[in-house]
Amino acid sequence: MTNVARHASATRCEVDITITGDEFAITVTDNGRGAASTVRSGMGWESMRERAAELGGSCTLTNGAPGTGLSVHAVLPHRPSPGHLAEAGERA
């Protein structure tokens, strides 16, 4: 969302979060200017992909038609931490 505010010239940003079984997915989509076809993937984009891969997931960036914004979709493994499981057991 920070990148949307800094770079996209967007008026809207939508965040969708889904947790299913062993996956956590997040998609951030804006209605900004998108990335020009001449723009190369920068350090920020590459860093997002690398961080997702380090966690066993993936991150893709999709540029819409000119002027229709950008979408970032990350899917990460979801494994409840042992502490989280213990806390859930204490509440049960």
Side-chain angles (χ1 to χ4, degrees):
M1 292 185 305
T2 299
N3 284 342
V4 170
R6 285 185 185 164
H7 306 294
S9 298
T11 59
R12 192 185 83 238
C13 176
E14 183 176 309
V15 178
D16 180 56
I17 297 172
T18 306
I19 299 174
T20 56
D22 58 352
E23 285 188 342
F24 171 88
I26 182 167
T27 303
V28 179
T29 305
D30 67 62
N31 69 341
R33 63 181 174 205
S37 61
T38 57
V39 173
R40 290 186 356 207
S41 179
M43 288 300 297
W45 292 354
E46 196 59 38
S47 178
M48 286 190 284
R49 288 184 189 109
E50 288 173 358
R51 286 182 282 174
E54 287 173 358
L55 296 171
S58 64
C59 180
T60 56
L61 291 93
T62 305
N63 200 25
T68 60
L70 190 72
S71 179
V72 178
H73 178 71
V75 178
L76 304 170
H78 170 63
R79 294 179 210 97
S81 67
H84 173 67
L85 294 175
E87 291 172 12
E90 290 172 7
R91 289 190 297 251

